[in-house]
Amino acid sequence: MTDDGPAGRVFVTRPLPAAWLAPLRDAGLTVDVHEAEDPLATAELHARVAGAAALWVQLTDRVDAALLDAAGPGLRAVATYSVGTNHIDATACRERGVVVIHTPDVLTDATADLTLALLLAAARRLPEGQRLVASGGWRGWAATQLLGMELRGRTLGVVGLGRIGSAVAARARAFGMRIAYHQRHPRPEAAAPLEADFVDDLDRLLATSDVVTLHLPLTPATRHLLDARRLALLPAHALLINAARGPLVDEGALVAALREGRLAGAGLDVYEEEPRVHPGLLELPNVVLAPHLGSATDTTRRAMAELCSAGILTALAGGRPANALA
Ligand code: GLV
């Protein structure tokens, strides 16, 4: 331990490359890693966190009052290896003086890239093309084979023009798309360079978009934001893209809309009950399914780790990390 460095133990809930944890070890902290991808059972988890000064968790770990109490009064920080914090009871953390650290900004480009990959794949019907080629049933070029949606001139409805929503919109502009967006309050400073139109009514945005992409946090208010009624507002030729959080969409209602041809396709990186995927989605032809890969590039994942370790070190030294939740 260094003379004036932070002291204590950091419990890490899943295996991570040793290099990513080195800043914590180099600072003299004890780093205790649960070295398996399978989560610990609650009793064992509570025993492991007892006495920890900080927890390093990921989006599949639930951080609730019981976990915080099991850690005890010495717990100063919870760092999540994600930008989303819906798995963390932020109020319970605040009440116990525990700082919540997350990883905004560094994953914006990677997540926006992945969103465009889903959009392009759905628009150009790549899943159907892949199945056709892989099945051996392709008979060669044909004038009307798998005709998709051309993006130029189409409207992208962005629900949530925050960091990632804006980055997606900027990419879509390069493909000639027109941007419309909805959120609680207009964001003229983000909208101006994108020439994005604010639509104050979500229902109207859905009804007038060719592609809808979701970029908002999961909260009790946004759960099933796209329910059966709202999904029915999208035009039949439209595509739905979700690389934010699965429960924003009623997956059963989405399957029904796709099955009945009331929606042309979907690109999904997230699901209501990960890693379970609604069986209906697996059977549908024009659905692009990714296993929650939004931030999954080497560059981004390293940057996220740096934010977590730096945030923990700052919090344990008594400071306020820049990437702490308000
Ligand atoms: C990924 O979903 C994240 O929140 O970082």
Side-chain angles (χ1 to χ4, degrees):
M1 196 188 306
T2 54
D3 284 348
D4 53 2
R9 183 169 63 90
V10 180
F11 178 67
V12 183
T13 58
R14 305 301 162 99
L16 290 174
W20 298 5
L21 300 169
L24 300 178
R25 292 199 170 105
D26 292 349
L29 292 164
T30 302
V31 180
D32 174 16
V33 183
H34 168 54
E35 290 290 1
E37 289 295 349
D38 286 337
L40 285 167
T42 305
E44 205 183 332
L45 175 64
H46 286 186
R48 286 286 286 277
V49 299
L55 308 180
W56 181 325
V57 305
Q58 63 180 39
L59 56 87
T60 49
D61 297 315
R62 170 151 302 285
V63 178
D64 54 16
L67 183 73
L68 299 171
D69 289 341
L75 185 69
R76 309 271 292 281
V78 172
T80 180
Y81 192 66
S82 62
V83 67
T85 56
N86 53 286
H87 52 298
I88 297 177
D89 184 339
T91 308
C93 287
R94 208 174 305 117
E95 285 167 357
R96 289 160 181 77
V98 174
V99 174
V100 177
I101 295 155
H102 69 144
T103 64
D105 298 315
V106 294
L107 48 60
T108 298
D109 282 331
T111 308
D113 288 352
L114 193 273
T115 306
L116 256 290
L118 296 175
L119 194 167
L120 287 165
R124 300 305 299 272
R125 304 176 60 180
L126 290 188
E128 289 161 277
Q130 162 110 12
R131 277 183 206 187
L132 180 61
V133 174
S135 72
W138 184 40
R139 298 274 169 269
W141 193 93
T144 57
Q145 190 169 67
L146 290 179
L147 303 183
M149 178 194 289
E150 185 137 343
L151 298 183
R152 183 164 301 281
R154 297 287 190 164
T155 297
L156 177 67
V158 181
V159 186
L161 196 71
R163 288 177 289 248
I164 297 172
S166 301
V168 168
R171 284 157 173 75
R173 291 271 295 163
F175 285 87
M177 296 191 86
R178 204 191 131 248
I179 312 298
Y181 76 104
H182 169 82
Q183 56 189 34
R184 225 173 318 156
H185 303 293
R187 263 194 88 204
E189 73 291 355
L194 301 165
E195 297 181 72
D197 294 326
F198 178 63
V199 180
D200 63 357
D201 179 28
L202 175 59
D203 288 3
R204 189 149 50 84
L205 181 91
L206 299 175
T208 53
S209 296
D210 300 298
V211 181
V212 170
T213 186
L214 304 179
H215 299 287
L216 66 177
L218 175 64
T219 67
T222 61
R223 181 173 295 274
H224 282 194
L225 185 75
L226 264 60
D227 56 9
R229 183 190 71 78
R230 287 218 170 97
L231 285 167
L233 297 172
L234 275 89
H237 69 267
L239 306 169
L240 175 68
I241 310 299
N242 186 8
R245 283 292 181 268
L248 296 174
V249 181
D250 178 338
E251 230 166 56
L254 175 63
V255 168
L258 288 162
R259 236 184 224 147
E260 293 159 22
R262 291 185 278 113
L263 202 55
L268 306 174
D269 190 38
V270 290
Y271 307 89
E272 272 204 76
E273 290 172 31
E274 295 175 14
R276 182 185 168 274
V277 176
H278 191 297
L281 289 174
L282 303 176
E283 292 158 12
L284 285 159
N286 196 28
V287 179
V288 190
L289 304 173
H292 206 144
L293 292 177
S295 65
T297 70
D298 185 54
T299 310
T300 289
R301 290 283 165 89
R302 280 171 198 266
M304 291 165 69
E306 276 166 29
L307 277 187
C308 284
S309 61
I312 289 173
L313 290 173
T314 302
L316 295 192
R320 175 115 200 128
N323 52 322
L325 284 194

